[in-house]
Amino acid sequence: MGLPESFLNKFARLLPNQEFHYFKKALNTRPRLKAFRNHPLKDGSKTKGQPPFQSSIPWSGQGFFSETVSVGAGNIAHDSGVFYSQDASAQAVVGLFEREIAEKALEKGRTKQFLVLDACSSPGGKSTQLLDAIRKASRSVLVVADHDKGSRKKALGENIERWGYPNAIVVQSSLQNLAAQRSWANQFDVVLLDAPCSLESVLRRGQAVSWSDKRVEQAARVQGVLLESAYKLLAPQGLLLYSTCTFSPEENEAVVSEFVHNREDMELQDAAGKLKLTLRESGIECKEALENTKGKAEWAQGGDGRLELCARLWPTFLDELVGPTDGHFIAAMKSVVDDDCPAYSCPAPASFSEPTKAEVKVLRTFLDVSLSPAENLALQLYMRSCTLLCRRGHLYLAPFSADEGFPVDFSNVNITSMGMYLGHAGSCFVPSRWLLYSMDVISPLGAAAVDCEGLELKRESEIGRPRVSWWSENGARVIRTAQLDGIRSYWRVDNSYLLRGLPLVSGKPPRAKSRGKIRT
Ligand SMILES: C[S@@+](CC[C@H](N)C(=O)[O-])C[C@H]1O[C@@H](n2cnc3c(N)ncnc32)[C@H](O)[C@@H]1O
């Protein structure tokens, strides 16, 4: 598919001649290299399916380019949450602020909850990055929200699950609905609004994007509304990140200009400066590239000079110097309000109840049988700061302690997963994939409360010691191994690995004749 004529005409008017020439050339060239991000707590280097690292992405600690990123069923490394396929420029939104977010989370997490909201999150790329950023702060929680009810909702759930962190709550809600909840106002220390946009940057992928001036105008109107909603949720001193993967000024500088105009409690942060510094540190000296990290103040009405603090990632410059990117716009704004916001202690949502003794027992039995002692201990420690909840037999680990209560009221919000989904407790316990994947991350999290080193060492020492512990419903024997194809832990059914949550059952094996063979 060629680029729309009216789109080209627009940017021919906006950009200097030569820049437009390179911009058009970049968009007409399909990227050869693709980008991905590694899970920081999993060693993908020996994993089957792990894309070879061609070069790293300067603004993303775990980001790389590779010729062969294949995602979806069939790539064991992807499906086990070892890497996430994500455009390089998309990684900059959180990547540039990752250290700052991590430090804030650690500092506040010492005494209070650190709450982060990813407001338009499907399919969850930036959510997984936010979870990485806050992973060391034990009292940090990410609320992952999107209004989508269809395939994106499914993809979001799966991506969060396979990334394995237990401190994520997935909700299906419009941002406007969240902003209308009284107890949610001014509660979030970080709000990310990766806004729906006219998708100009993905035109280069050859995808069918129907572009028109009208669509740009419509998107800009929605973005303005969403930014106001995001602002309502931001805590004093909080960080508000606004991003799009489109180039049009109407959806970028103009939206931000309108938002910061006369709003003295919000200060634009120097995202462009951060990007420039990052490029410099990676050895890039090209003046045009370094200068073009800035937002285009002159493209917004009134030409507010502060808009130059916004960051622009243009494929025009970055393709050659760093690697192929779609392109992104990023504005970071900080609340300069000093007051403390009211702290709530809300009850668990009514759709959840306390699990029965029998449900708890079946869970405990399962954990005792199928987790290593070190993992079990780490999970039990982590559970101390959580509330175990049940919805129609399904158990969840809400990342808030019963004593402190929930910091926001979830009653009027459609909850997909109230914290980590553990599995179904019936006559036996059927574990979730989330529980499985959490084993690679929960040990450091749980251990943070006590003796981190001791637990880590114990876990490491168990690598390579497979444990046969339970059986799948169809009778195939299941082996839980700590080291297979370089992945530290996943459930395996015979020679294939568990991809789509095949139900597993602990307890006695069914009749022997249906059992499969195990190759270890
Ligand atoms: C650019 S995409 C987000 C991509 C995502 N942040 C990532 O990194 O994977 C924008 C998302 O906004 C969602 N969205 C659009 N309008 C919304 C609204 N009013 N409230 C919540 N989500 C919305 C769409 O469903 C879409 O998934």
Side-chain angles (χ1 to χ4, degrees):
M1 254 184 61
L3 298 169
E5 204 54 38
S6 47
F7 168 79
L8 289 175
N9 290 339
K10 174 175 179 172
F11 281 89
R13 283 194 305 276
L14 283 168
L15 295 168
N17 268 346
Q18 196 165 17
E19 228 175 281
F20 173 68
H21 169 74
Y22 286 117
F23 176 65
K24 185 174 161 191
K25 191 169 156 214
L27 292 196
N28 272 322
T29 314
R30 297 270 165 82
R32 186 174 53 84
L33 292 178
K34 291 172 181 159
F36 67 98
R37 232 180 64 248
N38 267 341
H39 196 300
L41 300 174
K42 297 186 187 182
D43 176 11
S45 60
K46 295 185 217 98
T47 306
K48 191 172 149 195
Q50 163 76 44
F53 305 166
Q54 231 106 20
S55 57
S56 60
I57 299 171
W59 49 81
S60 173
Q62 301 291 326
F64 298 91
F65 290 101
S66 179
E67 300 237 357
T68 53
V69 179
S70 99
V71 293
N75 185 316
I76 189 169
H78 171 266
D79 291 342
S80 315
V82 170
F83 77 90
Y84 187 97
S85 173
Q86 188 180 27
D87 169 69
S89 65
Q91 297 183 32
V93 181
V94 178
L96 288 174
F97 293 88
E98 186 161 352
R99 192 184 301 170
E100 189 175 323
I101 295 171
E103 282 168 7
K104 268 168 152 269
L106 277 172
E107 194 187 317
K108 189 173 176 196
R110 274 190 220 119
T111 52
K112 292 184 183 155
Q113 285 282 357
F114 187 80
L115 292 182
V116 180
L117 173 70
D118 188 357
C120 288
S121 59
S122 291
K126 297 178 188 77
S127 312
T128 58
Q129 228 173 340
L130 284 167
L131 285 164
D132 288 344
I134 59 175
R135 70 181 184 274
K136 291 184 183 151
S138 50
R139 301 186 72 205
S140 59
V141 173
L142 174 71
V143 176
V144 179
D146 200 285
H147 72 168
D148 194 88
K149 296 183 182 129
S151 60
R152 285 175 83 86
K153 177 182 169 191
K154 187 165 176 280
L156 175 66
E158 289 180 355
N159 286 331
I160 297 299
E161 181 177 68
R162 71 167 71 91
W163 217 242
Y165 293 97
N167 54 338
I169 295 171
V170 186
V171 302
Q172 186 248 310
S173 168
S174 73
L175 174 54
Q176 294 91 321
N177 175 46
L178 300 182
Q181 305 301 316
R182 203 169 60 88
S183 68
W184 287 57
N186 307 119
Q187 294 298 321
F188 289 85
D189 300 289
V190 178
V191 178
L192 167 61
L193 171 56
D194 186 34
C197 65
S198 62
L199 297 173
E200 288 163 353
S201 76
V202 299
L203 284 170
R204 75 179 310 184
R205 297 189 199 171
Q207 283 175 7
V209 175
S210 63
W211 188 91
S212 68
D213 285 317
K214 200 162 162 229
R215 276 186 84 104
V216 171
E217 276 166 36
Q218 277 169 348
R221 260 197 307 279
V222 172
Q223 288 150 354
V225 172
L226 292 177
L227 196 49
E228 290 296 332
S229 296
Y231 165 72
K232 286 188 185 148
L233 297 160
L234 191 70
Q237 300 292 311
L239 176 68
L240 173 54
L241 293 172
Y242 172 80
S243 61
T244 73
C245 61
T246 212
F247 303 109
S248 276
E250 296 87 334
E251 298 180 60
N252 296 320
E253 284 87 350
V255 171
V256 176
S257 173
E258 176 78 24
F259 177 75
V260 291
H261 184 66
N262 285 340
R263 192 168 259 137
E264 283 166 7
D265 59 338
M266 294 298 287
E267 221 169 53
L268 267 164
Q269 304 295 289
D270 194 3
K274 271 184 191 281
L275 177 59
K276 188 172 172 178
L277 184 68
T278 311
L279 292 176
R280 271 228 172 93
E281 283 173 355
S282 71
I284 291 170
E285 283 166 16
C286 169
K287 212 165 149 251
E288 282 86 0
L290 295 173
E291 279 311 301
N292 276 288
T293 55
K294 289 189 220 158
K296 306 266 190 194
E298 68 280 14
W299 281 0
Q301 214 181 9
D304 186 337
R306 292 176 297 172
L307 296 169
E308 293 200 346
L309 299 172
C310 301
R312 273 189 174 264
L313 289 98
W314 292 97
T316 322
F317 303 100
L318 299 174
D319 263 18
E320 294 292 322
L321 296 168
V322 179
T325 64
D326 286 347
H328 250 77
F329 172 89
I330 307 166
M333 292 158 275
K334 195 177 161 200
S335 152
V336 289
V337 175
D338 273 333
D339 322 339
D340 248 356
C341 52
Y344 297 103
S345 175
C346 306
S351 50
F352 291 81
S353 58
E354 215 180 300
T356 61
K357 278 191 183 146
E359 284 162 342
V360 173
K361 189 169 171 217
V362 81
L363 168 69
R364 297 262 181 228
T365 309
F366 170 78
L367 297 179
D368 290 346
V369 171
S370 52
L371 298 188
S372 73
E375 284 171 336
N376 206 356
L377 174 63
L379 183 60
Q380 302 301 333
L381 285 170
Y382 177 69
M383 283 170 93
R384 279 191 201 167
S385 56
C386 301
T387 307
L388 189 60
L389 292 175
C390 183
R391 187 168 59 179
R392 294 186 292 277
H394 295 277
L395 300 186
Y396 296 83
L397 204 49
F400 309 116
S401 78
D403 297 343
E404 284 184 17
F406 286 46
V408 297
D409 185 358
F410 284 91
S411 318
N412 297 318
V413 176
N414 193 353
I415 300 160
T416 309
S417 191
M418 177 37 84
M420 176 161 70
Y421 171 51
L422 294 169
H424 186 264
S427 57
C428 59
F429 188 76
V430 181
S432 70
R433 290 193 310 166
W434 198 334
L435 174 60
L436 154 69
Y437 294 142
S438 75
M439 283 306 132
D440 277 328
V441 304
I442 209 155
S443 195
L445 271 185
V450 279
D451 175 7
C452 186
E453 265 185 25
L455 281 181
E456 270 295 288
L457 285 175
K458 264 194 181 169
R459 254 169 68 78
E460 293 296 332
S461 70
E462 281 166 11
I463 285 182
R465 191 143 56 83
R467 291 161 54 92
V468 180
S469 40
W470 15 287
W471 287 260
S472 71
E473 268 176 349
N474 69 5
R477 200 142 63 111
V478 173
I479 185 165
R480 178 167 188 290
T481 167
Q483 191 181 42
L484 191 67
D485 295 325
I487 296 170
R488 288 214 297 189
S489 61
Y490 55 88
W491 314 113
R492 205 187 90 162
V493 182
D494 292 338
N495 292 329
S496 66
Y497 53 95
L498 184 67
L499 281 183
R500 299 273 171 241
L502 187 74
L504 304 175
V505 183
S506 66
K508 286 204 185 317
R511 280 174 295 132
K513 74 175 170 53
S514 57
R515 260 184 255 153
K517 274 195 186 144
I518 295 191
R519 196 190 61 187
T520 49

